[in-house]
Each structure stands twice: as structure tokens, then as C-alpha cells.
């Protein structure tokens, strides 16, 4: 079975592939896609787009494995019409992403960045007391965390937050007229929260979910965490909220354009000590990556046995 991995470079080199027979390409540009997949029976792609104009020329294609959870890079309608199985990777980072989000929240609440910088600059060394106290420090215990998204990741961060003694609320969908049991109206959740953490997929319906009005609802002492998708947030509004002290700080692992584009609004926060940005790596712990490649292999092996795992079409 001819198997082609179009962007193996999205997985660090120290994570070995489970099958030495796969054809591996570190990256594949749009102009290279067709030549590389035309004879493939199985295609593995993390972010390379597989659209109708590519797939319609494939003579032997039976399976597409998306090396991620999101499926927006594959023409699912065409695959369904042609009987091409598409499977994604699920729950592989259920520990890593929530841990990353909590780490960001802790770093903001404990002022780790400004105190680290102060020590580097010699302020502690010059202090008259045994410690150097520069900014107020907060505990998570007793604070309220509002979670946007109640899937596996939302549930996982809720467990971690509760272990720190936080009160957890799940926000209802923005604009919902009926508030389901166990949910809090979206706007009320924002106004009650000491921290807000995003754990929902991006869709046409929730793009720019957080803009000026939403940040205005939050407490001036609250933190905003996004390890979900950059498009959920209006970046200019986020920048303004942080710079104007409308919120106490923010951390993001994602951006509207990735890799981060030169001239991104987020650059205005690079020197802010109450802002943290990481390059879309919350998903990429070694354990999560091993889970990911193991699932890829399991999906392909099951397909060879006539079974389907994590099928989305």
C-alpha cells in the first residue's frame, strides 16, 4: 500500500514514524501536491490542503489520514461522494493542551515573566530585603475560570482548575437564547470570570467571537487564555484590552495567521510583561506526538483490515 506523508516536518524529527515504508516529505507546496499523491492509496496530511482539483486525479486513493483533529484542509464533500475514507486524530493532546493553558494562567497570575526579568536586570540583587516585591501576585484558589467549550479539552482543563481550588463555569454558546443545564449565559460567564480559557473549534459562526464588547465585559483583574484557534479572537481588540488595562493580561498559543505574520497586531504586545505568546505548540508535547503517530498507524492498519477508526467521511 503506497502511503505518502505530505508534511512530515510538522512532527519533530525525534518522533519516529511507525512505518519505514511511508514516503515522507518534510513539506509540500500546492504545486507539488498532485505529483506526490497521484499514485497514493493512503495520504497523510497535517495542514497541506487536499482539494477536489488534486483528489480527482488520484486513481488508487482509498484513505486520507489528517494528522490533526481539524478537518478544514480536506474537501470532505468530494471524499464522501467518491467513497474515500477520511479519518482524523482525536484526543491525542487531551493532557498537553490543558496543561499548557494552565501553565500560561499560572505564569500570568504569579507574574513569572516580570519577576524573571527583574532578576535578570539586577533588581533582586540590589534589594534591601531578602525578596524583591514588584507586582501583586495572585493565587488561582478561590478564583473563577470560565471555559468556552465543553468537549474533551474543556473538561480536562476543568479538572486541572478544580485541583487548584478554582470554581469552574462553562459558558453557553454566544447568542444562545436557551441556557442549557450546567451552562452560564455567555455574557454572564465573562463578567463573573477571573480567567477565561478558550477550548472550542473555529467555525464560520464563531469567528471573532471575542471583540471589544466581550473584553469590555471582563473584569479588569481577569486573564484571557487562548490555546484553541486564533480566528476566535479579534487580535486588535485583544491588544487594546491588554494595553489599556481593560484586562489584567493575556496568553495565546495561536494567531489568526500562522506562522505569525510580520506586522501582526500581536507584535504590539511583545514587550508587555502581562502577555505571553507561544508558537502553536500546546499540542506538541512528546507524549501527545507519540499518541498522534500511533493513531495514524492504527488508522491505516485498521483500514487494511476493512475497519474504520476516527472516520469523518
Amino acid at each position: 500500500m503506497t502511503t505518502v506523508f505530505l508534511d512530515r516536518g510538522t512532527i519533530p524529527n525525534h518522533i519516529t514514524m511507525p512505518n519505514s515504508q511511508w514516503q515522507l516529505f518534510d513539506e509540500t507546496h500546492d504545486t507539488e501536491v498532485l505529483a506526490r499523491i497521484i499514485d497514493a492509496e493512503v495520504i497523510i496530511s497535517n495542514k497541506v490542503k487536499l482539494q477536489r482539483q488534486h483528489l480527482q486525479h488520484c486513481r488508487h486513493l482509498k484513505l486520507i489520514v489528517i494528522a490533526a483533529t481539524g478537518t478544514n484542509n480536506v474537501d470532505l464533500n468530494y471524499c464522501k461522494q467518491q467513497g474515500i475514507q477520511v479519518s482524523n486524530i482525536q484526543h491525542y493532546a487531551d493532557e498537553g493542551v490543558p496543561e499548557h493553558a494552565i501553565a500560561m494562567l499560572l505564569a500570568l497570575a504569579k507574574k513569572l515573566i516580570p519577576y524573571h526579568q527583574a532578576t535578570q536586570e539586577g533588581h533582586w540583587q540590589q534589594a534591601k530585603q531578602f525578596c524583591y516585591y514588584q507586582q501583586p501576585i495572585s493565587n488561582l484558589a478561590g478564583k473563577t475560570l470560565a471555559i468556552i467549550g465543553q468537549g474533551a479539552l474543556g473538561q480536562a482543563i476543568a479538572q486541572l482548575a478544580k485541583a487548584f481550588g478554582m470554581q469552574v463555569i462553562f459558558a453557553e454558546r454566544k447568542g444562545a437564547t436557551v441556557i442549557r443545564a450546567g451552562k452560564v449565559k455567555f455574557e454572564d460567564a465573562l463578567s463573573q470570570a477571573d480567567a477565561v480559557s478558550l477550548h472550542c473549534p473555529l467555525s464560520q459562526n464563531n469567528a471573532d467571537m471575542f471583540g471589544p464588547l466581550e473584553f469590555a465585559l471582563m473584569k479588569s483583574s481577569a486573564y484571557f487564555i487562548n490555546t484553541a484557534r486564533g480566528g476566535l479572537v479579534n487580535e486588535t481588540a485583544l491588544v487594546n484590552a491588554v494595553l489599556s488595562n481593560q484586562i489584567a493580561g493575556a496568553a495565546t498559543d495561536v494567531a489568526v495567521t500562522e506562522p505569525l505574520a510580520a506586522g501582526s497586531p500581536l507584535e504590539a504586545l511583545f514587550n508587555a510583561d502581562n502577555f505571553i505568546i507561544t508558537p502553536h505548540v500546546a499540542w506538541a508535547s512528546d507524549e501527545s506526538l507519540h499518541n498522534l503517530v500511533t493513531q495514524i498507524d492504527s488508522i491505516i492498519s485498521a483500514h487494511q483490515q476493512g475497519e474504520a477508526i476516527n472516520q469523518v467521511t
Side-chain angles (χ1 to χ4, degrees):
M1 180 174 287
T2 304
T3 300
V4 178
F5 195 159
L6 295 176
D7 48 356
R8 190 261 183 267
T10 58
I11 309 298
N13 287 332
H14 71 278
I15 305 296
T16 58
M17 294 297 107
N19 192 316
S20 61
Q21 301 302 310
W22 296 350
Q23 296 179 22
L24 307 178
F25 300 95
D26 277 349
E27 59 181 344
T28 298
H29 298 289
D30 187 65
T31 55
E32 301 170 319
V33 171
L34 182 56
R36 292 180 176 178
I37 69 172
I38 195 166
D39 293 319
E41 296 173 70
V42 178
I43 301 171
I44 306 169
S45 172
N46 191 326
K47 295 293 183 288
V48 175
K49 292 184 178 180
L50 298 170
Q51 303 302 322
R52 181 183 298 262
Q53 63 265 30
H54 306 123
L55 301 175
Q56 65 186 356
H57 299 287
C58 296
R59 298 183 287 265
H60 310 293
L61 183 61
K62 299 293 189 298
L63 171 66
I64 296 174
V65 182
I66 303 173
T69 301
T71 61
N72 58 302
N73 60 317
V74 176
D75 190 332
L76 298 180
N77 290 331
Y78 177 81
C79 292
K80 186 174 182 179
Q81 293 168 7
Q82 300 301 314
I84 300 169
Q85 177 187 330
V86 179
S87 291
N88 67 346
I89 309 302
Q90 300 176 12
H91 304 302
Y92 69 99
D94 284 359
E95 294 83 20
V97 171
E99 286 182 7
H100 195 96
I102 286 290
M104 286 177 150
L105 179 54
L106 280 167
L108 289 169
K110 300 301 181 182
K111 304 295 194 298
L112 296 189
I113 290 178
Y115 277 116
H116 174 72
Q117 292 173 340
T119 303
Q120 285 184 317
E121 294 166 0
H123 295 290
W124 186 19
Q125 297 87 323
Q126 299 168 14
K128 296 180 180 180
Q129 306 296 335
F130 71 96
C131 68
Y132 173 74
Y133 183 80
Q134 179 187 24
Q135 295 188 28
I137 300 168
S138 300
N139 290 340
L140 298 188
K143 302 298 193 303
T144 297
L145 175 66
I147 301 173
I148 314 297
Q150 202 172 358
L153 296 176
Q155 294 285 355
I157 193 172
Q159 291 295 322
L160 292 177
K162 289 176 182 177
F164 280 97
M166 299 190 77
Q167 303 297 316
V168 172
I169 57 177
F170 287 96
E172 182 56 89
R173 291 188 182 94
K174 184 179 178 181
T177 55
V178 177
I179 310 303
R180 291 169 289 175
K183 300 271 191 174
V184 176
K185 185 179 179 182
F186 183 83
E187 292 79 6
D188 292 343
L190 299 189
S191 63
Q192 294 173 25
D194 297 296
V196 175
S197 191
L198 273 56
H199 298 279
C200 58
L202 174 65
S203 69
Q204 292 181 345
N205 296 326
N206 65 9
D208 276 0
M209 177 194 301
F210 275 82
L213 295 178
E214 287 67 39
F215 288 116
L217 290 172
M218 293 176 60
K219 299 176 183 178
S220 61
S221 58
Y223 296 111
F224 181 80
I225 313 293
N226 185 10
T227 55
R229 288 292 182 266
L232 294 167
V233 181
N234 181 306
E235 291 179 338
T236 298
L238 174 62
V239 169
N240 291 338
V242 174
L243 292 180
S244 67
N245 297 316
Q246 194 168 42
I247 60 175
T252 184
D253 183 57
V254 290
V256 171
T257 302
E258 297 177 346
L260 190 69
S264 165
L266 297 178
E267 290 182 355
L269 296 177
F270 280 5
N271 293 323
D273 62 13
N274 60 343
F275 176 71
I276 299 170
I277 184 167
T278 52
H280 204 147
V281 292
W283 64 283
S285 69
D286 280 1
E287 293 84 356
S288 297
L289 292 168
H290 282 297
N291 289 340
L292 186 151
V293 298
T294 298
Q295 277 196 50
I296 293 174
D297 191 45
S298 296
I299 290 168
I300 296 173
S301 297
H303 179 78
Q304 291 174 319
Q305 301 300 319
E307 300 175 4
I309 298 176
N310 294 358
Q311 185 172 4
V312 294
T313 66

